[in-house]
Amino acid sequence: MSIQPTALRSVLNPRYLESALSNQYDIGTWEECLFWLRGLNDTYRVRTSSGMYILRIYRTEITEEDVQYELSLLSQLKNVLGSAEHTDIGEYIQKRDDTGYTVLEAAEGKRVAVMFRYIEGTENNLEDEESCYAFGQSAAELHKAMDQVNVELPRYELDLKFLIDEPLERIIRYIGENHEAAAFLHTFATALKERIFATSSQDLDFGLCHGDMHGNNNAFQQEYSFIHYDFEWAAKSWRAYDLAQVKIRKRQSGDSGQKQRLWDALMKGYRSVRKFTDADEQAVDLFIIARRFWVMGLDVAFIESDMGALDYGEDWLNDFLEEFRDTGIVS
């Protein structure tokens, strides 16, 4: 008996994409479609007679409903942020039929395609206090704008089930319930949830979040404005969770004292635009841990279809276990 589909994740031929999509947009004659980046989704750089664009081909797990939510959010944010001083977003390109996406058939199933404007600008790695202050202002403007939009479509929340329970299930399924690390991971997840639950009882700021504000998706700068894009994970959550991703951004350098000065500058910039209480700020470090737990679960989710198991064995597991033990959450 044959098993369908024949692929878990394919790479679509750029020539096929040009054939399938070039007549659907008023963006000039296609001159190049280049496979640009393999991430959670696949990104192509499209050059036409009118300029440069970015084509995203979502992985098959991302449904039409997910994309409809993201595009509706982008449309509303664009309107709300029209007069914002420090913040803009990456726009998607409407098709000739006034829709925003196309469903393509791939070997693994349906994949949604969306065209975005190419973001010009300089990637700011937030290595100085002035940049961090400006980014804090921009993040606050984005959250302020998100308080003013209303996407009337169903959506999950970035809650404890999403951040801890579901990743735990994936991790345990991968390593096996009988693995010696399983008991610790169960205990750690429970203790982490209890800490966050106790902290969240202090009326933390909760609302629509970017969901993936780790730097790469938010650090392109045009003069005094930061451009935020890739809203795939946008959903309601604690704003401290959004900012936790900025605090542990991968490209941050410097010693602990320097990192603290940069974080203080970012917080000062954020608070110059909107409120962020001491309780919110104190919760950030807890959400850093929750984010790392979620990342561990995300690793597991893509082993079978994308990354392979070779680099996700005992060394990978032990690195996370050591990191989680060092938090002191479980004695």
Side-chain angles (χ1 to χ4, degrees):
M1 183 179 70
S2 63
I3 299 175
Q4 300 294 332
T6 58
L8 293 175
R9 179 170 178 178
S10 63
V11 176
L12 299 183
N13 189 322
R15 290 185 293 277
Y16 161 70
L17 294 173
E18 180 177 350
S19 173
L21 299 173
S22 59
N23 291 329
Q24 298 192 32
Y25 293 94
D26 284 319
I27 57 174
T29 303
W30 285 39
E31 299 172 351
E32 179 187 56
C33 180
L34 181 65
F35 186 37
W36 194 244
L37 177 67
R38 185 176 181 89
L40 298 186
N41 304 300
D42 290 337
T43 300
Y44 295 75
R45 191 187 69 179
V46 175
R47 189 178 73 243
T48 77
S49 56
S50 68
M52 204 82 78
Y53 301 88
I54 286 293
L55 173 63
R56 179 185 295 159
I57 309 296
Y58 290 85
R59 62 193 184 278
T60 192
E61 291 85 359
I62 301 299
T63 66
E64 288 186 63
E65 289 75 20
D66 292 326
V67 175
Q68 288 167 2
Y69 184 95
E70 181 180 352
L71 299 189
S72 176
L73 173 60
L74 290 176
S75 296
Q76 293 189 49
L77 283 176
K78 192 65 182 176
N79 290 331
V80 174
L81 289 167
S83 59
E85 186 177 355
H86 307 285
T87 311
D88 201 355
I89 59 167
E91 298 176 77
Y92 71 94
I93 306 296
Q94 284 274 41
K95 293 163 55 181
R96 285 175 172 163
D97 63 4
D98 291 327
T99 62
Y101 66 90
T102 302
V103 179
L104 300 172
E105 293 291 343
E108 67 271 33
K110 297 181 185 300
R111 298 183 66 176
V112 181
V114 177
M115 190 76 74
F116 292 88
R117 295 196 184 282
Y118 188 84
I119 298 176
E120 303 285 353
T122 303
E123 188 171 4
N124 186 326
N125 288 337
L126 307 181
E127 299 281 20
D128 60 84
E129 292 180 38
E130 182 181 2
S131 294
C132 287
Y133 184 91
F135 186 86
Q137 290 178 303
S138 180
E141 282 188 346
L142 182 63
H143 285 163
K144 187 175 180 180
M146 284 177 145
D147 285 335
Q148 300 174 58
V149 305
N150 181 27
V151 183
E152 295 181 349
L153 293 168
R155 188 66 161 178
Y156 53 82
E157 291 188 354
L158 307 179
D159 54 12
L160 295 183
K161 177 184 176 185
F162 179 91
L163 296 175
I164 300 176
D165 291 339
E166 292 174 355
L168 178 65
E169 289 178 12
R170 288 195 296 271
I171 295 164
I172 298 300
R173 193 182 311 123
Y174 176 62
I175 66 173
E177 191 67 63
N178 294 326
H179 193 288
E180 60 183 0
F184 170 80
L185 288 167
H186 278 292
T187 302
F188 179 79
T190 299
L192 179 57
K193 285 198 301 180
E194 289 173 351
R195 290 274 190 100
I196 293 174
F197 183 78
T199 302
S200 62
S201 65
Q202 301 179 55
D203 196 27
L204 299 182
D205 186 9
F206 191 93
L208 196 54
C209 291
H210 180 278
D212 204 21
M213 196 182 281
H214 53 66
N216 299 13
N217 294 334
N218 310 82
F220 273 91
Q221 191 173 12
Q222 295 175 351
E223 295 182 349
Y224 300 105
S225 184
F226 283 91
I227 317 299
H228 301 262
Y229 63 98
D230 196 357
F231 284 76
E232 176 192 329
W233 299 103
K236 288 185 177 179
S237 188
W238 298 273
R239 266 43 188 277
Y241 172 70
D242 239 7
L243 295 182
Q245 300 157 46
V246 186
K247 192 172 184 180
I248 57 163
R249 61 193 182 277
K250 291 179 182 178
R251 302 184 186 184
Q252 185 178 24
S253 62
D255 58 28
S256 58
Q258 170 70 356
K259 289 179 179 179
Q260 185 60 48
R261 287 190 291 275
L262 296 180
W263 174 249
D264 290 343
L266 192 148
M267 280 283 90
K268 189 174 181 180
Y270 190 98
R271 287 178 170 132
S272 73
V273 174
R274 72 185 299 273
K275 182 180 177 182
F276 197 71
T277 67
D278 289 342
D280 285 312
E281 185 173 358
Q282 290 165 12
V284 167
D285 286 342
L286 268 182
F287 283 113
I288 285 176
I289 302 168
R291 172 72 175 189
R292 293 295 295 153
F293 198 84
W294 177 80
V295 165
M296 186 183 184
L298 191 68
D299 284 350
V300 171
F302 284 89
I303 287 172
E304 184 179 57
S305 64
D306 189 62
M307 297 181 293
L310 178 62
D311 292 329
Y312 297 88
E314 292 301 308
D315 289 345
W316 164 85
L317 176 60
N318 289 331
D319 284 347
F320 270 110
L321 294 178
E322 182 179 357
E323 180 181 338
F324 295 152
R325 288 192 178 101
D326 286 347
T327 65
I329 287 180
V330 175
S331 57

